[in-house]
Structures are given as structure tokens and as C-alpha cells.
Amino acid sequence: MKDTETDADPVLRLDGICKTFPGVVALADVELALYPGQVTALVGENGAGKSTLVKVLTGIHQPDAGTIRVDGAETRFPSAGAATKAGITAIHQETVLFDELTVAENIFLGHAPRGRFGLVDWTRMRGDAAAILDRIGARIDPRTPLRELGIASKHLVAIARALSVDARVVVMDEPTASLSQAEIEELYELVGRLKSEGKAILFISHKFDEVFRIADRYTVFRDGEMVDAGLIADVTEDQLVERMVGRSMDAIFPARTATPGGEVLRVEGMSHPTEFADISFTLRRGEILGFYGLVGAGRSEFMQALFGVTRPSSGTVTLDGRPLVIRSPADAIASGIVYVPEDRGRQGAITAMPIFQNVTLPSLAQTSRHGFVRMAEEFRLARRYTERLDLRAAALDQEVGTLSGGNQQKVVIAKWLATRPAVIILDEPTKGIDVGSKAAVHEFMAELAAEGLSIVMVSSEIPEILGMSDRVIVLRDGRIAARFDREGLTPEALVRAAAGYETAA
Amino acid sequence: MIRSFLRSREAILLAALIALVLLVETRFAGFAAPSNLAAIFNDTSILVILALGQMLVILTRCIDLSLASNLALTGMVTAMLNAAMPDLPMGVLIAAAIGLGLLMGAFNGLLVWKLEIPSIVVTLGTLTIYRGLIFLVSGGEWVNSHEMSAAYKALPRTEILGLPLLGWTGAAVVAAFAVGVNRTALGRAFYAVGGNPGAAIYTGIEVGRTRFQAFVIAGGLAGLCGYLWVSRYAVAYTDVAGGFELDIVAACVIGGISIAGGLGTVTGAVLGALFLGTIKNALPVAGISPFWQMAISGAAIIVAVAFHARRQPGRVILKPEAAR
């Protein structure tokens, strides 16, 4: 059901776009067309290649192959500036603004109106800024310093900035993710106004209700490929979910045969003032419990609280029948709960340190005698766990920064296994690593579970959740939206629960 | 092990140091004689000790600009104590110096830890405060050589195996650091905090507390050096060691301690201090004016940093963003 019949010519057309990163194919032969006065929704799982496409569109990434046509003429965007000049503007997921500048300065940074002698014409800038803010229905004084605004208002400023250039194509990457319901309504109105001004809009969203509410067309991405496109009027939500999830089970996951044992961890009524509420679950010995949810559903925030990085406002944690008081990560590690964070760069490995020191960092008590670290002991410990993970490194005193992403992840996992924990929390364990390393990590997780380690796995990748979990908890907006056993677990059910689209399948 | 040392920046710095000594030797015979080298080491001991303290602070992505003021204040206090109570045992006096230094370091560290004020701001403030306190306790008066007890002045000069006790103190601190930094959990924590604070938190290391500990150690060493300095020069006044805080930072930088934190070795800091000390010793021998000496020391810093910066490639910190 490819839609090629069009009443208008597309403003922007992509054909055969390919983009690979080391070890990963991000976009494979992708096509996309955007029409004036129409909203095209781009849907797909996390990691389907949507954000990469946005970066190609806005000149941040260069495609390896394929053509970009603006008004039928082939063109290239060697820089972000070139894309802007061609009339393409994007509102990114995380807004890139400057807290210390005023709203007007933020809107016009880089293209401020100039007066005599090339000096910035401040009066005109403020006037123009006020006009744009007014147009999008934002009641913000352009002279306000940005830092005084809330997240939603900052978002409006980002939108105003996008519109301050004479844009013909507006890309919105999950624009409603951080907005309240009232603000979302205002955004929809704004989208309507942009449509009536004849702008072509690419709207990236996980939320099906809004896709069906505001989009005219849709494009579905899966694993870096465009799998379907057409008119919204021609599809149902069920069909869209099905296409988005697809089969995508062709990744091979290790067989899980062992049955989980007795209860190890019990979490009851964990709440946080702003991030999550009323989270309760149990984890059994040798079990893999999957946590699924959209980005921003509160999964990582909850795990950080469980690990003692942040403090929950209420709730109890019991490990092996003993109640735990976890005030810091050190407490959690000492009790046998460890956390492998999602952000490997900022929270995982210490890249300037050699591999063996990274591995032994939380286990120095194990490798020390009388308060002094024994290097031979360190090497032994590091070797034992890195070998188990099949780490590819020339030597254990090599700096971690010289390793590939997949191998860095192995060092981080080895570091935590070396503490011999009872419970390991893996936050997006295979995010951003190549397919081969992914399989190795999955294999290893299954082995660990079989040996009796209890695993909490946070993942945004449906195949991984389906392939690895014994049970799954779905979070939405900081609360448990659904629980699944291995039976009754379908991709469609997961997506529905996570997106809050509840209809009988 | 040997191969990797030969390729390290410490090896290059050591080669430069040896070359410098030999170069001066060709012009002024006797410069490279063991006794003269021992004298240079003795002379540089205070800088070596302070550079090691500063290294810990810099490793954690902080900086301590107040070390020289700390030194001057503790020096003045020990001198006044000694002048007032000549019979006070030296052990008590030295313990008091270290204790006072620790206290000042702890004050810096607490402000950095609990109030999360950038260390450069904190120590720029305490640099002036500690220096001002000298004037308050001494009333601007000097404590001169004749007011100090013989024991007070003699202790650092006591020679053992041809090296004065001052030099031995430096050597002992170096040895303690070599073990402590490389082989204790705390030593490892300094590198972890500076290398990746985010990751350190998840490893159960408290970033603020670790920084505090670095400031306390550096402060204690500055206190010790306060006594050593005043006793060696046999005079205490408000401006003792004025500007020396920059020499300490310079020694670290020359020694390859990365201002960005998490990178650096004990060997590097020691060699950096010795390099600076040797220049300062060699130039007067060569009859070069003190103003040229400052310019040459400055040039050495820039060359060293430029050199370290050039050696950076090969380390991959920023990976291309994985496909999303």
C-alpha cells in the first residue's frame, strides 16, 4: 500500500538514503516525501532510525548514499546551515537553547536582524520575537532570560526559533514528550496553523492518538528501513502498530530453560515526588524481569532510586527477606544490588583508566589486603570476568577509551559481576552496540540467570524484551501500566500498554 | 613494563631533565656532581611535596590555589609558637603545623563539597583569607632567625647519608604517595572522580567526599611545608612564599597532570617539580637575570602542555554517536 498518487508535488523528497555508523546500519535505503500543507507522521520503535533521519534532514549527518530533492531539484546539506537555508528547520527532542540569554536572543541567535554598521538591531529583534511568539500563541516576554522559563515554555521558544527562519519544512521530533495536556492542545493548534500556512510538517511521535488526530500521512520505520507509508485515512491504529512492530523477531535469542526459584527482591510502594509512583514488584532467583516503556516513562529514574542515586519519597525494598535501607549507591552495592546505567559515556566506564582498574573499582575490598590493593589479585579478578564476557582487548592495562562501544559495555558489566551481586539491573544493556556484541550480551545474561543471578532489564527494544524476559512490567508516565507473563506477551500488547492505547486486540 | 614506560610522557620528561642537567654541566662543571644534584633535590623538596598534594586535588577536577598561603600561615604560627615557647618539643610543633594545614585544607574541601562552589573560586578566596590571617596573627611583624630556637632551625638541616632531613622528608612523601596513590582504594577514587564523575557515583564513590579528602591531604602537606620553609629560610613574614601557588600548579602541569582531571602520575608530578627546581637552580648559576628565569619557567610550562596536548590523539573519547 505504497502511496505514490499525490495531488501536490512534495517539497522535500528523500530517495535511497543509507547511513551506517561503525557496526550499525542506521538507515537502509529509506525514502520519504513531505507535502506542503500536510502533516506526515513518522512512527517506529526506539532505534528504528527516526532521529538519524532527522539529523540527515537537517544537515547534521551526511547520508552515505541516496538523494535529497527540494522542489524536485537534487541538493545536499553539508551543514546544518545549508539545511536551514533550504527552508528546513527542526525542533529537536532535547531543545538546544541557552539559559543565560533572553528569549529574543535565543530565537534569533545566529540570524539576528542587523541595523546600521552591521550592529544588532535590538528593538527590531524584540519586536520580531514578540510577533513570532504571538503567532504561536505563547505569552512570553521576549526580554525574559530563558532560565526563568519552565520546560514547556522553553519548548515554545524552541518552536519560535524554528519558525524565525523562513521555514517551509518543519520537523518536530516528539514535541509533546515534555508537555502537559493543555500545552499539547496548544501545540496541536499551532500545527494546524502551520499547515494552513502551507508548511510541510514531519511529526515524529510514539503516541498513536496524536498521530491520528493531527497527521494526514504516515511513514513507518523499522530497524532502519521504511516499511510502509500512506494516508492516515487508509489505516487503523491496529494496522499501524502491527507494521511498526512487524515480525522483527528474527534476532536470535538464547533459549531460556531454567525456571526461576524463590523470591529474592521485593519492592513495595516505591514513589518519588516527581518521577514515579507506587511501584511494586517481586523478583525471583534466576529470573529476568523486563521493564518496558517509552522514553521518559520513568524506568531509569526508578532504577536510580532503587540503586540509591536519588531518594524515593516512600516505599520499601526487601532483599532475601531482609529490609534494606539504601541511601547511596555504596549501600546498594554492599547489599548486593548493582546497576549498569544506560549512559555508558557519562555513567559507565572511566575511559582514561585501564581496563583492570575499571573492573576492580567497586571490588577493591576484595582485591586488597590491609588496605593496600594487590595488583596481581586485581588482574586475576579482571581477567576472570572479562574472559567470561569474551572481551576483545590487547591487554588488561589498556585504557578503556581505546575499546569499541560493545567492548566498553563488557568492561562495565564485568565490573559489576565482579562484585558478585544478588540482583543486577541492566539499563538498556545493548543500546548502541553492534549486533554481534548484542548476541554475546544476551547469551551471557541467560547464562547468569541460569546460574541464579536475578536480573532486572530495562529496555526500549521490543525484540529484546520479548526474547529475554520471564516477566515484563510496562511503565507509563511513572506508573505500572501493565504486567505480563511470558505467555500472553505480544509486541502489540506491549506497545498498547506503553502508549496508553487500550483496546481489545 | 619497561617498553611502556619508555613511551610514556614521564620518560620524555625524565630525558628532558637529564638533558637539562647535562647541558648546564657542559658550561659549568660540577653541576651534575652527585652532591650538587642532592642539593638541588633538597632545595626542591618543598615544591615536590606540594606538587604531590596539588596533584590529588587536580586529579579530582579541582585546584587548590591556597596552598602557598596555607604554608605561609602555618609557617608563621610555628615560628611564633617557637619564639614564645622555645622549649616546646619539635614533634608537637610539627604536629601542630600539619594539624593547622589539615584544618585549612578541610575548610576548602568543605566549601567545595557541601556548597558545591567551584574550587578555583573557593581557593582564590581562601588564598587571600589565609594570607590576611598571617598579618592578623603577627601584626605584620617578622619572626627573625635570632628569635627561633636552635632546634627549630637545625632539624631540616640535619644530614643523614649526605642528604639533609628536608630532602629525606621529600623522599618519604614521594614514597608514601607512590604506594598510597597507586595501591589504595582512596588513590583509585581520585582517578575515578576526575576521570568520570558520573561513573564514579554509580560505583559507590562519593564525588564530593573524595574531593574533600584531596583538599585535606594537600592542606596537611602544605602545613608540614610551612614549618620546613620557615625553618629553612629562618625567617617568617607575611609574604613568605608569595606567588608560590603558581609554581606548584606549574610543576603539576609540566609533570603531565591533566587540568581536566583523572590523568597524571606520581612520577610525573615529581619530575615536573624537579624540572622546575632544576631550572630555577641552573639559571642563577648561568648568571641569567631573574626576569629571564621567570620567562624561561613560563615557556617550559607552555612547551610541556603543548607537548602533552599533541600526544593526546590515539585516545578516543568521543565516539561517533551510535545509530538511533
Side-chain angles (χ1 to χ4, degrees):
Chain A
M1 66 177 270
K2 197 156 275 186
D3 172 72
T4 44
E5 309 295 313
T6 54
D7 32 2
D9 289 326
V11 186
L12 183 79
R13 178 167 208 114
L14 304 186
D15 277 304
I17 296 287
C18 296
K19 178 75 192 170
T20 56
F21 294 99
V24 193
V25 178
L27 294 174
D29 197 19
V30 160
E31 56 188 85
L32 177 77
L34 300 177
Y35 300 89
Q38 296 195 18
V39 176
T40 303
L42 179 58
V43 296
E45 276 186 69
N46 296 329
K50 301 178 306 256
S51 294
T52 309
L53 182 84
V54 172
K55 286 178 180 163
V56 167
L57 271 181
T58 50
I60 295 167
H61 286 333
Q62 306 309 312
D64 303 328
T67 57
I68 303 174
R69 286 194 184 82
V70 177
D71 291 332
E74 195 172 327
T75 181
R76 284 177 57 247
F77 299 143
S79 67
T84 311
K85 214 169 266 170
I88 297 167
T89 180
I91 299 152
H92 291 281
Q93 240 164 2
E94 284 133 30
T95 53
V96 197
L97 294 170
F98 302 88
D99 266 346
E100 296 306 321
L101 300 182
T102 66
V103 168
E105 284 169 314
N106 265 292
I107 293 175
F108 283 104
L109 194 72
H111 52 272
R114 299 301 174 90
R116 268 196 297 173
F117 311 121
L119 298 177
V120 172
D121 184 342
W122 291 96
T123 322
R124 211 174 98 208
M125 185 163 103
R126 277 193 289 270
D128 290 358
I132 296 169
L133 289 167
D134 196 48
R135 200 168 110 214
I136 64 171
R139 282 171 296 278
I140 303 170
D141 185 337
R143 285 167 301 187
T144 322
L146 191 78
R147 75 185 119 79
E148 292 178 11
L149 301 182
I151 299 237
S153 302
K154 281 184 185 173
H155 217 96
L156 289 172
V157 174
I159 293 170
R161 172 169 173 77
L163 298 180
S164 66
V165 293
D166 195 19
R168 304 172 57 211
V169 175
V170 180
V171 179
M172 297 184 167
D173 195 352
E174 296 197 48
T176 60
S178 54
L179 302 186
S180 72
Q181 198 51 48
E183 289 155 353
I184 289 174
E185 289 300 325
E186 284 179 22
L187 184 90
Y188 291 165
E189 270 176 45
L190 171 65
V191 170
R193 237 171 300 158
L194 294 175
K195 261 175 78 168
S196 62
E197 287 173 19
K199 311 225 186 277
I201 297 164
L202 181 66
F203 195 92
I204 298 175
S205 177
H206 280 295
K207 301 180 188 162
F208 289 98
D209 57 340
E210 72 185 24
V211 166
F212 279 87
R213 172 145 172 212
I214 65 167
D216 305 293
R217 294 167 175 274
Y218 68 91
T219 292
V220 182
F221 272 28
R222 189 168 69 218
D223 300 336
E225 289 174 36
M226 193 213 78
V227 292
D228 193 20
L231 294 171
I232 284 284
D234 296 340
V235 287
T236 64
E237 293 191 23
D238 280 321
Q239 287 169 323
L240 212 52
V241 170
E242 199 186 299
R243 270 158 219 167
M244 185 172 132
V245 177
R247 39 74 264 172
S248 66
M249 283 297 290
D250 56 1
I252 299 151
F253 288 91
R256 306 277 320 285
T257 46
T259 39
E263 176 185 309
V264 173
L265 180 76
R266 170 177 286 271
V267 173
E268 271 174 302
M270 264 275 244
S271 296
H272 184 279
T274 53
E275 309 288 356
F276 53 84
D278 202 22
I279 307 238
S280 304
F281 65 91
T282 59
L283 180 66
R284 288 177 295 163
R285 200 175 148 73
E287 185 178 38
I288 299 183
L289 176 61
F291 267 77
Y292 181 74
L294 299 180
V295 169
R299 292 168 301 165
S300 297
E301 289 75 8
F302 167 69
M303 297 305 161
Q304 286 172 358
L306 184 58
F307 188 59
V309 177
T310 56
R311 296 280 188 86
S313 56
S314 64
T316 57
V317 180
T318 323
L319 187 70
D320 288 328
R322 285 174 297 122
L324 294 187
V325 182
I326 298 174
R327 291 212 180 81
S328 69
D331 288 347
I333 296 166
S335 340
I337 300 178
V338 300
Y339 176 49
V340 182
E342 172 187 1
D343 189 339
R344 207 168 38 236
R346 284 198 3 246
Q347 302 161 343
I350 295 162
T351 48
M353 253 193 193
I355 295 168
F356 78 95
Q357 291 189 358
N358 262 281
V359 173
T360 58
L361 200 54
S363 321
L364 286 177
Q366 247 189 83
T367 59
S368 305
R369 185 187 287 162
H370 309 308
F372 291 105
V373 181
R374 287 171 301 166
M375 209 101 100
E377 208 48 45
E378 282 194 282
F379 271 99
R380 195 170 314 149
L381 190 71
R383 191 171 306 120
R384 189 187 318 151
Y385 286 95
T386 51
E387 265 172 17
R388 282 199 61 180
L389 281 161
D390 195 22
L391 177 84
R392 312 261 161 78
L396 288 179
D397 54 7
Q398 191 179 334
E399 284 174 16
V400 172
T402 59
L403 299 175
S404 72
N407 280 317
Q408 287 191 13
Q409 181 73 325
K410 287 178 188 174
V411 171
V412 175
I413 295 177
K415 164 169 89 176
W416 292 119
L417 293 178
T419 66
R420 282 179 283 181
V423 174
I424 186 165
I425 304 166
L426 298 166
D427 199 343
E428 303 283 3
T430 61
K431 186 176 178 179
I433 67 179
D434 62 89
V435 180
S437 303
K438 259 186 194 186
V441 170
H442 289 147
E443 194 75 39
F444 193 68
M445 284 169 64
E447 255 175 60
L448 291 172
E451 285 166 24
L453 182 67
S454 305
I455 300 177
V456 175
M457 177 185 72
V458 175
S459 177
S460 300
E461 293 182 32
I462 290 175
E464 185 167 80
I465 287 279
L466 292 175
M468 297 303 300
S469 316
D470 294 306
R471 285 184 300 136
V472 177
I473 288 176
V474 179
L475 289 195
R476 185 177 70 239
D477 298 334
R479 289 169 192 276
I480 293 183
R483 295 168 195 265
F484 296 99
D485 284 326
R486 203 145 200 187
E487 307 75 50
L489 187 58
T490 64
E492 288 79 8
L494 274 180
V495 170
R496 281 198 192 96
Y501 158 56
E502 321 262 10
T503 15
Chain B
M1 212 59 165
I2 293 168
R3 269 249 295 277
S4 69
F5 175 76
L6 285 181
R7 267 182 306 197
S8 68
R9 55 177 65 134
E10 286 80 12
I12 292 157
L13 189 55
L14 182 63
L17 183 58
I18 293 170
L20 176 68
V21 170
L22 292 179
L23 185 75
V24 182
E25 168 74 16
T26 59
R27 305 283 304 278
F28 304 94
F31 188 81
S35 63
N36 191 52
L37 292 182
I40 292 178
F41 180 77
N42 189 51
D43 255 357
T44 314
S45 284
I46 290 177
L47 182 59
V48 168
I49 295 171
L50 293 173
L52 287 171
Q54 182 73 273
M55 175 183 98
L56 297 186
V57 177
I58 293 179
L59 276 180
T60 68
R61 295 196 180 175
C62 288
I63 195 160
D64 190 343
L65 296 177
S66 71
L67 288 177
S69 298
N70 179 330
L71 174 158
L73 178 56
T74 40
M76 174 58 84
V77 169
T78 58
M80 289 174 67
L81 274 177
N82 179 252
M85 293 178 276
D87 297 328
L88 203 64
M90 290 313 296
V92 174
L93 208 58
I94 291 171
I98 295 174
L100 185 59
L102 286 173
L103 213 63
M104 282 189 264
F107 183 65
N108 288 334
L110 273 179
L111 292 176
V112 170
W113 178 14
K114 294 298 181 188
L115 300 186
E116 293 178 21
I117 309 173
S119 60
I120 191 162
V121 177
V122 167
T123 58
L124 203 55
T126 53
L127 172 155
T128 329
I129 294 171
Y130 299 162
R131 187 67 74 179
L133 285 175
I134 306 173
F135 191 86
L136 289 182
V137 298
S138 68
E141 300 287 319
W142 290 39
V143 180
N144 288 308
S145 180
H146 66 271
E147 299 169 70
M148 298 171 185
S149 73
Y152 184 92
K153 287 177 285 187
L155 191 64
R157 294 162 211 263
T158 315
E159 278 199 20
I160 302 170
L161 299 174
L163 187 66
L165 208 52
L166 174 60
W168 284 112
T169 309
V173 172
V174 172
F177 264 71
V179 176
V181 167
N182 296 317
R183 296 201 44 204
T184 65
L186 181 61
R188 212 51 76 67
F190 294 133
Y191 285 93
V193 163
N196 189 342
I201 293 170
Y202 283 88
T203 315
I205 296 169
E206 264 194 75
V207 172
R209 179 199 296 274
T210 308
R211 288 185 171 146
F212 170 77
Q213 287 163 324
F215 275 104
V216 170
I217 296 173
L221 291 174
L224 173 67
C225 289
Y227 162 69
L228 294 174
W229 183 295
V230 168
S231 138
R232 176 170 168 71
Y233 295 104
V235 62
Y237 54 96
T238 306
D239 285 329
V240 157
F244 200 63
E245 52 276 329
L246 296 184
D247 283 6
I248 302 165
V249 176
C252 286
V253 169
I254 292 174
I257 317 297
S258 166
I259 290 292
L263 261 185
T265 62
V266 172
T267 318
V270 172
L271 287 174
L274 289 178
F275 191 81
L276 206 56
T278 308
I279 288 184
K280 296 206 163 200
N281 267 282
L283 298 182
V285 174
I288 294 173
S289 108
F291 299 102
W292 276 111
Q293 290 174 35
M294 284 163 72
I296 290 170
S297 304
I301 295 169
I302 294 172
V303 168
V305 173
F307 191 72
H308 296 323
R310 250 190 331 107
R311 284 175 57 82
Q312 283 297 318
R315 182 196 307 289
V316 185
I317 289 171
L318 275 180
K319 290 251 176 340
E321 192 188 348
R324 278 295 112 186

